[in-house]
Structures are given as structure tokens and as C-alpha cells.
Amino acid sequence: MPETPTRQSAAARPSNRLAIATLAVGIAAFLTGLVPWLGLILGLTAFTLGIYALTRGQSKVMALVGGSLGSIAAVTGLISTSALMMWLLSGNA
């Protein structure tokens, strides 16, 4: 009689919670990327979480997509924050 595969216990199965969190923060960062400071902070957070999730052996796809969206949001957040600060410091505000 062939052996049937047993279900893996919850402890043996790797959890992807960190990769899911990376993806969620990356999407939120991407959607708020043009908001000064918020897009920058969320983007850097998503990028950092993505790297951490990859080093922990989480889902590669979710961690890479979340980190990539976070890096795009960080760049656009940096540009919008820089533009706001230059406008405020120019004396035209």
C-alpha cells in the first residue's frame, strides 16, 4: 500500500508573513509615493522589509515586488520632498 503524503505541521511550514507585510507596505508606499515625507518613509520601510524578508527565506516574488514598489516610492518621495523643501526655503511660500 503506497504511503500518502502527510500534512506538514504548522511549525515545519515556512511562514510568509514578512513577505506579505513587505508587499502590503510596498503597495501603500507606491500609492502614496508623491506625498512628501510619507512616500519616502513608507518606501524606505518597504525596501528594508523586502531585503529582510529575502534574507529570512520568505516568498521571493512577494518580497521582490514589495521591495521594488518601495524603492520606486522612495525615489518619487525623495523627489517630491526635495521639491517641497526647495519651494519652502526659496521664500515664495
Side-chain angles (χ1 to χ4, degrees):
M1 177 161 148
E3 290 185 30
T4 59
T6 60
R7 294 184 119 176
Q8 292 180 345
S9 67
R13 227 176 328 157
S15 173
N16 286 328
R17 290 181 183 168
L18 194 58
I20 292 169
T22 300
L23 185 61
V25 174
I27 291 170
F30 186 75
L31 294 175
T32 61
L34 291 176
V35 178
W37 295 109
L38 183 63
L40 179 63
I41 292 170
L42 284 177
L44 290 174
T45 303
F47 182 71
T48 306
L49 276 175
I51 291 173
Y52 187 65
L54 286 173
T55 60
R56 290 293 192 180
Q58 301 280 316
S59 171
K60 255 187 181 176
V61 173
M62 284 191 275
L64 285 174
V65 170
S68 299
L69 289 174
S71 64
I72 292 169
V75 170
T76 57
L78 180 65
I79 292 170
S80 66
T81 302
S82 299
L84 175 70
M85 297 310 288
M86 285 190 290
W87 180 72
L88 289 175
L89 296 174
S90 70
N92 294 332

